[in-house]
């Protein structure tokens, strides 16, 4: 069945109430009963929940074949937790395991082996990269992987689309009772936003830490009342890869050039007024935008009331200079951000639900003024692809992209017109991860395009003397330089399902056909 | 083959951005940054054993990419290198707007290159005289010979100072206030004005010191330079902002031009505007400011 963005969704996926994507806000006004975990009563006092090893925790949790385990990705490329836990699960001979992580990355290449061995038969995640992405693209995973945005994951857990049997939560610090924090310890990651929903909805919760601290470890990101066991290991991650020293502004002239244009687009809208809010990314141009906003803010005498998203040093510095009132933190990317959330009373940790859940009574993204996002591809319907490369292999993550795009008053996607010999602006993206109706402006190094749905933004840009062209013109320019690419070849098998925020199906990814010269 | 419009000897050259002819990423679309002129470098930016590869890349870039209204100049290798003749051939074959001669020291240097350009124009059926020339002055001798260099050929559109090499020869170090290059800069402007061509100041290599860069641009503009050579796109906007006539300057210029036209019709050759004496000598400067404002795209009047 064709969905709202024109993607064909196989009928065999539309079972058990699963629908095709019907446009944003489709489920507004619907009701649902929240799912709930089956939890053990620990009425008899226990002094300590610490067990000797991950293996022991797995056994005590009565793990069985076919269970779903969950992880967060606050340790990013420096994560050891997923691999440590999966190794024990595999060594214990468990099979048919589904991994429901908030995201998976290059640190999790060993999982690809478990997929090929048929031990891991389900993956639910935002990010799917490296060897895991390749393995899934080649068809090794028994069931289609389910790709969700950060907000969509929370909704899926709350609605019961996914039931977590055991949540393994890596924590920089924990006390013996399970009060866990993202702050302190040897591998400080600042916040534990992604795992908060896991702690509330999983049947069993295991904290894995490398720094045991005296009880009570307050205020906790993960509360002891939700925790079954605590495991102390030597290292939960590689500190140097968890948080870089300090994210620096790019010096790449092209990124700076595009970032400055983004700042000008932002300033041309009436949303750019005292008390505005802004979501920052960590990638080159989207981060550099804040640097170009600063002089404009000074010129107009306005301040940013709140900045949200993945936090980095430049945003922290803006707050310390007094240009930003408060930082709403869903993830920390570098040590400055970690330090700031530890010490600055205006820097707040929130849950991923508060950040981006479409099914609660109002997440932060709904109040967001501006977001600047990157994209691998944007097509002439303004649909964005951030998950599959031009070769069709899974190598990216929707992250908070679809959530912020749906909520923001002005969503800007910034991308160079071409990357190497690949057109970023194309006729039809390989995979839709964010629907075009959410994307308001596309900024490239060769011009700006505004979504026809936003005649108001076109008028504001005209008033500001900023030229813009149709997205088709940008696509034609790209193709005139690199030529229109040949269509990718696919097998029939669906290897990944891209869910929209509300759980409907936005697109599917099929198994790639190895390229042949003929 | 991309058809480029005829190179103009006199045009806006506030910014001349150096890019390496060896780097496809840099060469494919430098026009997006808005510099008035691009200098594709075959000389110092290209490794010795990559000179031929750079030429191939340059030729294909020139013939397949539309640089629009951005001027495209090629910096060939020095006359004491084995490369410069082929550099000239490739540049003319590709349709470059002009050649920049490095380490130019005399009128003879210009004439040697001009000869090679003429031959290449004939070889590749380019209209004779189309390709312009500029010279980089990098030694004390070059500075002293600046006037003869400027007047060595009708193709000459300007001279530029190359600070790094010049400071080495002068045995001086860079200072913020530029005293070490004061005389060299002054001589350059004098020579250019006497010959009726343009002059360009040297590159500023500290890309982190934007404040220092800005101060230098203000200084060289006051000294009379038409523009500056740049090594990074982020330097462009600063130069353009400084070279933009202020609204006050435009307004004053308009008043002078209008008053002059009105008075001269009545037969008056000298008069006052705002209590300042104005005669015909003031007219060219005022007209130049209005022309510059128009070229910068900020003139909204009707003169």
């Amino acid at each position: 069945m064709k969905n709202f963005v024109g993607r064909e969704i196989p009928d065999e996926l539309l079972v058990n109430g699963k629908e095709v994507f019907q446009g944003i806000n489709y489920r507004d006004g619907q009701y649902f009963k929240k799912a709930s975990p089956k939890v053990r009563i620990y009425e008899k006092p226990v002094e300590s929940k610490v067990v000797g090893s991950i293996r022991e925790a797995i056994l005590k949790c009565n793990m069985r074949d076919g269970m779903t385990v969950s992880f967060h990705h606050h340790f990013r490329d420096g994560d050891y937790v997923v691999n440590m836990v999966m190794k024990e699960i595999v060594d214990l001979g468990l099979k048919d395991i589904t991994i429901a992580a908030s995201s998976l990355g290059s640190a999790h290449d060993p999982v690809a082996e478990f997929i090929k061995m048929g031990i891991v038969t389900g993956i639910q995640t935002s990010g799917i990269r490296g060897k895991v992405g390749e393995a899934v693209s080649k068809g090794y995973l028994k069931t289609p992987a389910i790709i969700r945005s950060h907000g969509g994951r929370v909704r899926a857990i709350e609605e019961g689309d996914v039931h977590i049997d055991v949540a393994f939560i890596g924590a920089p610090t924990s006390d013996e009772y399970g009060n866990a924090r993202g702050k302190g310890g040897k591998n400080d990651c600042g916040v534990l936003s992604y795992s908060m929903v896991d702690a509330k909805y999983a049947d069993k919760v295991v904290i894995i830490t490398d720094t045991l601290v005296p009880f009570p470890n307050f205020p906790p990101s993960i509360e002891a009342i939700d925790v079954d066991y605590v495991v102390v290991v030597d290292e939960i991650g590689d500190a140097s890869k968890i948080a870089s020293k300090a994210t620096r502004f790019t010096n790449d002239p092209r990124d700076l050039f595009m970032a400055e244009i983004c700042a000008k687009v932002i300033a041309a809208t009436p949303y750019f007024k005292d008390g505005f809010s802004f979501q920052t990314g960590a990638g080159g141009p989207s981060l550099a935008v804040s640097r170009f906003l600063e002089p404009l803010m000074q010129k107009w005498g306005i301040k940013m009331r709140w900045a949200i998203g993945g936090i980095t040093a430049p945003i922290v510095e803006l707050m310390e200079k007094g240009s930003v009132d408060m930082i709403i933190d869903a993830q920390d990317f570098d040590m400055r951000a970690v330090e700031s959330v530890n010490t600055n009373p205006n820097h707040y940790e929130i849950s991923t639900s508060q950040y981006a859940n479409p099914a609660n009574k109002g997440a932060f993204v709904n109040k967001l003024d501006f977001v600047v996002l990157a994209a691998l591809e944007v097509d002439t319907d303004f649909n964005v692809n951030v998950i599959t490369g031009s070769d069709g292999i899974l190598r990216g993550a929707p992250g908070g992209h679809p959530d912020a795009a749906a909520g923001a008053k002005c969503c800007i996607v910034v991308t160079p017109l071409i990357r190497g010999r690949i057109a970023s602006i194309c006729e039809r993206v390989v995979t839709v991860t964010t629907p075009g109706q959410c994307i308001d402006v596309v900024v490239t190094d060769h011009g700006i395009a505004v979504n026809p749905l936003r005649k108001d933004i076109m008028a504001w840009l005209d008033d500001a003397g900023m030229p813009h062209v149709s997205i088709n013109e940008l696509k034609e320019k790209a193709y005139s330089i690199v030529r229109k690419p040949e269509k990718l070849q696919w097998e029939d098998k669906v290897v990944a399902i891209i869910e929209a925020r509300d759980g409907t199906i936005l697109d599917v990814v099929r198994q790639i056909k190895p390229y042949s010269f003929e | 083959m991309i058809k480029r419009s005829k190179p103009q000897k006199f045009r806006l050259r506030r910014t001349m951005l150096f890019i390496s002819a060896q780097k496809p990423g840099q060469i494919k679309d430098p026009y997006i940054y808005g510099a008035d002129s691009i200098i594709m470098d075959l000389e110092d930016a290209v490794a010795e054993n990559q000179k031929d590869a750079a030429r191939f890349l340059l030729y294909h870039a020139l013939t397949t990419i539309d640089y629009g209204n951005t001027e495209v100049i090629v910096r060939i290798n020095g006359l004491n290198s084995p490369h410069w003749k082929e550099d000239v051939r490739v540049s003319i074959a590709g349709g470059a707007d002009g050649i920049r001669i490095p380490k130019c020291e005399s009128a003879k240097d210009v004439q040697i290159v001009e000869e090679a350009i003429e031959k290449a124009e004939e070889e590749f059926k380019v209209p004779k005289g189309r390709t312009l020339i500029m010279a980089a002055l990098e030694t004390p001798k070059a500075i002293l010979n600046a006037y003869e260099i400027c007047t060595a050929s009708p193709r000459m559109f300007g001279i530029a100072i190359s600070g790094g090499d010049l400071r080495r020869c002068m045995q001086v170090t860079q200072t913020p206030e530029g005293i070490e290059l004061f005389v060299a800069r002054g001589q350059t402007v004098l020579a250019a004005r006497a010959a009726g061509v343009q002059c360009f100041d040297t590159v500023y290599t500290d890309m982190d010191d934007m404040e220092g860069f800005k101060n230098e641009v203000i200084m060289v503009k006051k000294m009379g330079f038409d523009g500056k050579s740049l090594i990074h796109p982020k330097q462009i906007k600063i130069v353009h902002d400084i070279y933009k006539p202020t609204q006050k300057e435009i307004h004053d210029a308009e008043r002078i031009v209008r008053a002059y036209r009105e008075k001269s019709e009545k037969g008056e050759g000298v008069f006052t505007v705002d209590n300042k004496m104005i005669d015909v000598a003031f007219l060219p400067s005022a007209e130049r400011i209005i022309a510059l404002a128009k070229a910068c795209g900020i003139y909204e009047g009707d003169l």
Side-chain angles (χ1 to χ4, degrees):
Chain A
M1 186 193 286
K2 249 201 168 75
N3 69 9
F4 188 79
V5 288
R7 297 286 152 140
E8 190 62 46
I9 310 300
D11 288 333
E12 58 261 24
L13 297 177
L14 303 173
V15 292
N16 298 330
K18 212 75 180 144
E19 294 179 271
V20 298
F21 178 63
Q22 319 222 7
I24 56 169
N25 304 327
Y26 164 58
R27 298 188 61 197
D28 187 60
Q30 287 181 10
Y31 284 78
F32 74 98
K33 198 140 179 98
K34 282 190 182 170
S36 46
K38 183 166 174 185
V39 290
R40 183 197 190 283
I41 298 179
Y42 289 85
E43 188 181 353
K44 182 162 163 211
V46 175
E47 263 308 292
S48 163
K49 302 178 186 177
V50 177
V51 298
S53 65
I54 293 177
R55 185 188 178 94
E56 199 184 323
I58 292 173
L59 290 168
K60 280 194 143 89
C61 288
N62 290 320
M63 272 201 71
R64 299 267 174 272
D65 290 349
M67 279 193 166
T68 299
V69 294
S70 81
F71 305 94
H72 66 68
H73 70 286
H74 282 290
F75 303 141
R76 280 178 296 284
D77 291 341
D79 177 55
Y80 290 169
V81 173
V82 172
N83 293 338
M84 285 194 297
V85 170
M86 291 312 299
K87 179 180 183 305
E88 298 303 328
I89 287 177
V90 169
D91 284 352
L92 281 168
L94 290 162
K95 296 189 299 296
D96 270 328
I97 302 296
T98 295
I99 297 178
S102 55
S103 200
L104 294 170
S106 55
H108 307 124
D109 280 350
V111 172
E113 275 317 300
F114 305 144
I115 292 175
K116 288 182 185 163
M117 286 157 68
I119 298 173
V120 170
T121 52
I123 298 267
Q124 301 191 16
T125 178
S126 160
I128 184 157
R129 301 179 171 92
K131 294 207 162 64
V132 174
E134 275 172 38
V136 174
S137 280
K138 288 183 180 159
Y140 288 112
L141 190 65
K142 190 147 167 269
T143 62
I146 303 180
I147 309 296
R148 300 190 177 98
S149 69
H150 292 328
R153 177 181 191 264
V154 178
R155 176 214 57 81
I157 294 171
E158 287 187 354
E159 278 207 90
D161 288 0
V162 53
H163 178 82
I164 302 170
D165 296 294
V166 188
F168 292 94
I169 302 179
T173 61
S174 176
D175 58 30
E176 69 214 0
Y177 221 41
N179 289 304
R181 306 185 70 214
K183 302 170 176 58
K186 298 190 277 186
N187 291 293
D188 202 331
C189 67
V191 298
L192 286 176
S193 315
Y194 293 114
S195 53
M196 290 176 182
V197 64
D198 302 47
K200 295 289 174 193
Y201 284 80
D203 287 347
K204 295 260 193 266
V205 176
V206 177
I207 301 291
I208 301 178
T209 185
D210 56 15
T211 306
L212 203 61
V213 296
F215 176 89
N217 187 20
F218 254 53
S221 306
I222 306 297
E223 297 174 315
I225 54 172
D226 297 317
V227 175
D228 294 85
Y229 304 109
V230 177
V231 182
V232 183
V233 299
D234 287 334
E235 300 280 347
I236 48 176
D238 178 350
S240 64
K241 292 188 189 158
I242 292 176
S244 55
K245 271 242 152 52
T247 318
R248 277 282 143 254
F249 284 124
T250 175
N251 237 338
D252 181 271
R254 196 177 303 271
D255 285 350
L256 289 175
F257 177 66
M258 294 190 290
E260 188 166 8
I261 296 176
C262 286
K264 289 200 184 123
V265 170
I266 288 174
T269 70
Y271 312 127
F272 187 65
K273 58 186 197 299
D274 198 32
F276 77 99
S277 60
F278 180 69
Q279 166 146 340
T280 133
S286 59
L287 179 60
V289 176
S290 54
R291 176 213 232 161
F292 289 104
L293 279 181
E294 204 185 339
L296 292 168
M297 287 160 64
Q298 269 159 21
K299 182 166 158 206
W300 295 105
I302 67 179
K303 290 202 296 174
M304 197 190 294
R305 175 148 171 83
W306 49 279
I308 192 170
I311 306 301
T312 50
I315 291 296
V316 170
E317 274 155 29
L318 271 182
M319 179 168 73
E320 288 171 355
K321 277 193 214 170
S323 303
V324 177
D325 287 342
M326 56 180 81
I327 293 178
I328 312 293
D329 194 333
Q331 184 175 16
D332 293 311
F333 283 114
D334 62 31
M335 288 318 295
R336 281 288 271 127
V338 167
E339 185 202 324
S340 175
V341 75
N342 269 314
T343 55
N344 193 322
N346 296 321
H347 189 154
Y348 303 92
E349 175 183 9
I350 56 166
S351 70
T352 313
S353 186
Q354 287 174 298
Y355 168 38
N357 183 358
N360 63 20
K361 299 181 186 179
F364 267 95
V365 291
N366 294 3
K367 295 276 288 170
L368 189 58
D369 290 322
F370 301 104
V371 62
V372 177
L373 298 165
L376 290 178
E377 298 177 301
V378 185
D379 66 25
T380 45
D381 289 325
F382 286 82
N383 296 317
V384 168
N385 173 17
V386 290
I387 192 102
T388 41
S390 61
D391 53 2
I393 297 198
L394 292 160
R395 59 176 83 246
H401 202 290
D403 304 308
K409 293 189 187 61
C410 180
C411 171
I412 301 171
V413 162
V414 56
T415 173
L417 188 72
I418 53 182
R419 284 189 178 93
R421 288 176 51 233
I422 297 168
S424 309
I425 312 296
C426 57
E427 206 154 85
R428 194 171 188 274
V429 292
V430 172
T431 313
V432 179
T433 52
T434 304
Q437 63 186 142
C438 299
I439 306 299
D440 301 314
V441 184
V442 173
V443 169
T444 73
D445 45 358
H446 287 260
I448 304 172
V450 181
N451 193 325
L453 293 171
R454 295 303 300 263
K455 298 268 189 292
D456 51 352
I457 296 183
M458 288 187 189
W460 295 330
L461 291 186
D462 290 338
D463 286 342
M466 294 187 72
H468 53 93
V469 298
S470 71
I471 187 97
N472 205 58
E473 240 179 273
L474 290 179
K475 178 209 78 177
E476 287 300 320
K477 172 115 205 227
Y479 283 172
S480 75
I481 299 171
V482 299
R483 290 227 280 266
K484 193 170 162 187
E486 275 180 40
K487 281 195 159 50
L488 287 167
Q489 303 288 333
W490 310 95
E491 305 286 2
D492 284 333
K493 178 176 173 181
V494 171
V495 296
I497 298 170
I498 313 296
E499 267 189 21
R501 300 177 76 205
D502 58 11
T504 57
I505 302 185
L506 193 52
D507 205 346
V508 295
V509 180
R510 297 180 192 270
Q511 184 174 329
I512 45 145
K513 224 182 223 179
Y515 188 78
S516 57
F517 288 93
E518 54 189 343
Chain B
M1 182 86 189
I2 300 289
K3 194 128 182 65
R4 293 188 57 74
S5 46
K6 186 168 189 290
Q8 297 298 313
K9 206 165 149 177
F10 293 102
R11 56 166 286 161
L12 217 51
R13 290 190 181 95
R14 302 161 294 178
T15 45
M16 302 190 83
L17 178 68
F18 274 97
I19 66 172
S20 166
Q22 191 184 349
K23 298 205 172 140
Q26 283 189 20
I27 213 175
K28 68 173 178 151
D29 57 8
Y31 52 82
I32 61 174
Y33 303 112
D36 293 326
S37 199
I38 304 273
I39 303 176
M40 306 246 187
D41 192 10
L42 292 172
E43 198 218 12
D44 287 351
V46 177
E48 189 63 26
N49 63 357
Q50 297 295 318
K51 300 289 187 193
D52 52 353
R55 273 194 294 267
F56 281 128
L57 191 53
L58 175 75
Y59 175 77
H60 287 292
L62 286 173
T63 51
T64 52
I65 298 174
D66 185 2
Y67 292 96
N69 291 326
T70 310
E71 184 180 51
V72 181
I73 308 288
V74 178
R75 175 161 80 169
I76 57 172
N77 285 280
L79 300 186
N80 56 355
S81 77
H83 310 293
W84 75 270
K85 282 194 182 141
E86 192 60 13
D87 293 343
V88 169
R89 276 188 79 228
V90 170
S91 304
I92 277 55
D97 297 329
I99 299 290
R100 176 175 168 129
I101 308 172
K103 301 178 172 52
C104 188
E105 283 201 314
S106 63
K108 182 132 194 312
D109 288 347
V110 176
Q111 279 146 9
I112 293 174
V113 174
E114 184 180 31
E115 219 182 289
I117 291 178
E118 256 180 47
K119 264 177 65 185
E121 281 174 344
E122 198 181 318
E123 185 184 351
F124 296 107
K125 315 261 190 302
V126 172
K128 183 168 164 186
R130 184 178 189 280
T131 317
L132 304 174
I133 302 177
M134 72 174 291
L137 312 176
E138 313 192 21
T139 61
K141 187 165 167 203
I143 300 290
L144 288 171
N145 286 343
Y147 181 71
E148 74 165 53
I149 290 172
C150 287
T151 48
S153 158
R155 296 173 187 258
M156 282 294 292
F157 71 81
I159 45 174
I161 295 198
S162 197
D165 290 292
L166 188 53
R167 287 187 190 100
R168 270 190 291 277
C169 297
M170 301 267 290
Q171 299 169 30
V172 294
T173 48
Q174 188 174 3
T175 67
E177 60 285 353
I179 191 76
E180 81 285 1
L181 285 186
F182 176 60
V183 173
R185 280 183 167 130
Q187 287 270 72
T188 304
V189 180
L190 276 171
R193 292 289 170 261
V197 300
Q198 291 179 334
C199 52
F200 313 102
D201 188 48
T202 179
V203 295
Y204 193 88
T205 52
D206 187 347
M207 293 198 292
D208 288 331
D209 182 9
M210 298 312 285
E211 201 54 38
F213 172 73
K214 189 171 164 190
N215 292 333
E216 187 168 285
V217 177
I218 292 174
M219 175 178 74
V220 303
K221 177 180 180 241
K222 284 184 184 167
M223 290 186 77
F225 281 92
D226 295 292
K228 195 161 171 64
S229 305
L230 306 180
I231 52 165
H232 194 287
K234 70 177 182 179
Q235 298 175 321
I236 294 171
K237 185 164 188 297
I238 294 178
V239 179
H240 284 189
D241 282 346
I242 290 168
Y243 271 83
K244 213 167 32 183
T246 60
Q247 284 303 320
K248 183 175 188 310
E249 284 169 340
I250 297 171
H251 181 68
D252 290 346
E254 280 185 312
R255 295 195 60 200
I256 290 175
V257 172
R258 286 207 179 91
Y260 180 80
R261 287 184 189 172
E262 191 193 301
K263 300 288 186 187
S264 65
E265 257 173 41
K266 292 184 188 160
E268 289 177 40
V270 59
F271 48 89
T272 57
V273 174
D274 285 342
N275 236 4
K276 295 199 187 82
M277 183 209 85
I278 302 290
D279 61 20
V280 65
F282 287 80
L283 190 58
S285 305
E287 287 179 332
R288 197 174 305 121
I289 287 177
I290 294 177
L292 181 57
K294 284 184 186 163
C296 291
I298 55 167
Y299 185 65
E300 283 160 12
D302 51 14
L303 285 179

